[in-house]
Amino acid sequence: MSKIIIAIDGYSSCGKSTVAKALAAHLGYAYVDSGSMYRCVTLYALRKGVIKDHSFIEDEIIKLLPEINLRFEFNPHTKSSDTFLNEENVEKDIRQMVVSENVSKVSAIHQVRVKMIAIQRELGKNKGIVVDGRDIGTNVFPQAELKLFMTADTDIRTQRRYDELNSKGQHIPFIDVKKNLLDRDFQDTHRKENPMVQAKDAIVLDNSELSREEQLQYILKLIKDLTLSVD
Ligand code: DC
């Protein structure tokens, strides 16, 4: 019996984590949200006052890295894993708009990526894992048995993110949410190191018109059609 690695990459707010969580729960796999790690570094730098008015000195962020410990813990209420930064559950704080506004620039720093990728590879060493992000199928786990590249219409992505923020009490205008998504997509696809590109062997999933259940069923069928053993 062999477990596999499932890599899910794609644009901001196109539902990667939702489908990754459902898939992990269905298969009994671990789920790792790699974006949450870059968000933790950004949150820590904001709290330390290293990021001010959307700008920072790279070396000051690099100096913080040894102080940052990350781990994930399964939350039975949400049936997903929460992100812990130095033993504090920051699952809610890392989703704040101010973190989203700075995270792409922080994630472009070489040393930040080296540290986060090492953690991701360690988490995936025994396989049986679903990981979502931007460079998972191309760089972190190029050997992943199943690679998906997710995309969705920009306005649909914006609406999903807008609703999510609203439900958490963050009332950000639609236009600002859309701008943040487009800015991040641009930065994430144009950075020098590990930019987001579709892996040659990735299967594209445009979920603009698909429900969660339809996406899950689509991926389960792929696993079956590709005769991948997931046990
Ligand atoms: O998935 P997310 O939107 O929470 O990710 C936040 C940011 O982290 C994203 O804008 C780019 C960065 N990121 C990355 O550079 N590499 C990854 N594997 C995952 C996220």
Side-chain angles (χ1 to χ4, degrees):
M1 292 295 155
S2 54
K3 289 183 183 276
I4 65 168
I5 295 178
I6 301 176
I8 304 184
D9 290 304
Y11 294 99
S12 294
S13 297
C14 64
K16 298 185 295 294
S17 63
T18 306
V19 75
K21 278 179 207 167
L23 189 58
H26 185 91
L27 299 174
Y29 275 23
Y31 162 62
V32 172
D33 172 358
S34 65
S36 75
M37 298 182 178
Y38 296 98
R39 287 176 177 272
C40 280
V41 178
T42 308
L43 177 67
Y44 193 72
L46 281 161
R47 286 178 173 178
K48 287 278 172 188
V50 164
I51 302 176
K52 281 189 221 106
D53 300 328
H54 298 93
S55 68
F56 56 80
I57 297 168
E58 242 184 67
D59 279 347
E60 292 191 5
I61 302 237
I62 295 166
K63 267 193 227 144
L64 295 177
L65 289 174
E67 299 167 24
I68 297 176
N69 281 303
L70 303 178
R71 69 174 178 89
F72 294 98
E73 188 177 298
F74 187 74
N75 178 334
H77 300 295
T78 57
K79 294 195 171 52
S80 179
S81 44
D82 287 342
T83 312
F84 283 73
L85 165 62
N86 295 339
E87 294 311 312
E88 175 192 349
N89 186 335
V90 289
E91 196 50 44
K92 201 166 161 219
D93 291 11
I94 56 173
R95 313 284 162 200
Q96 290 167 2
M97 196 64 179
V98 64
V99 174
S100 301
E101 285 167 359
N102 290 284
V103 65
S104 284
K105 272 191 280 169
V106 171
S107 70
I109 302 172
H110 170 75
Q111 287 85 343
V112 171
R113 301 203 71 78
V114 168
K115 176 160 174 154
M116 300 305 117
I117 290 169
I119 300 172
Q120 291 154 27
R121 289 192 176 137
E122 179 63 25
L123 290 167
K125 70 174 187 230
N126 295 325
K127 300 197 175 193
I129 195 168
V130 183
V131 192
D132 74 26
R134 303 292 188 290
D135 63 338
I136 307 303
T138 49
N139 176 51
V140 183
F141 295 119
Q143 78 281 24
E145 287 81 357
L146 178 62
K147 299 179 188 177
L148 294 162
F149 189 84
M150 284 183 60
T151 180
D153 172 83
T154 309
D155 280 335
I156 291 175
R157 288 195 285 140
T158 307
Q159 188 67 50
R160 288 176 184 160
R161 180 84 181 123
Y162 174 85
D163 292 342
E164 188 194 342
L165 286 165
N166 237 324
S167 72
K168 290 177 180 162
Q170 293 188 56
H171 307 293
I172 317 278
F174 186 89
I175 189 80
D176 292 348
V177 177
K178 184 169 179 175
K179 185 177 174 315
N180 175 256
L181 290 198
L182 294 175
D183 281 353
R184 283 203 290 141
D185 286 348
F186 184 84
Q187 292 183 57
D188 297 343
T189 47
H190 288 80
R191 67 174 175 233
K192 213 168 76 202
E193 192 151 324
N194 320 138
M196 180 178 76
V197 277
Q198 186 189 318
K200 284 197 183 68
D201 48 352
I203 294 160
V204 178
L205 170 54
D206 181 331
N207 71 359
S208 305
E209 306 292 338
L210 296 179
S211 69
R212 287 175 192 191
E213 187 54 29
E214 284 168 333
Q215 293 172 62
L216 177 64
Q217 292 310 324
Y218 173 83
I219 299 170
L220 292 175
K221 185 168 182 309
L222 274 180
I223 291 172
K224 200 167 160 221
D225 291 350
L226 295 169
T227 58
L228 292 168
S229 164
V230 289
D231 299 320

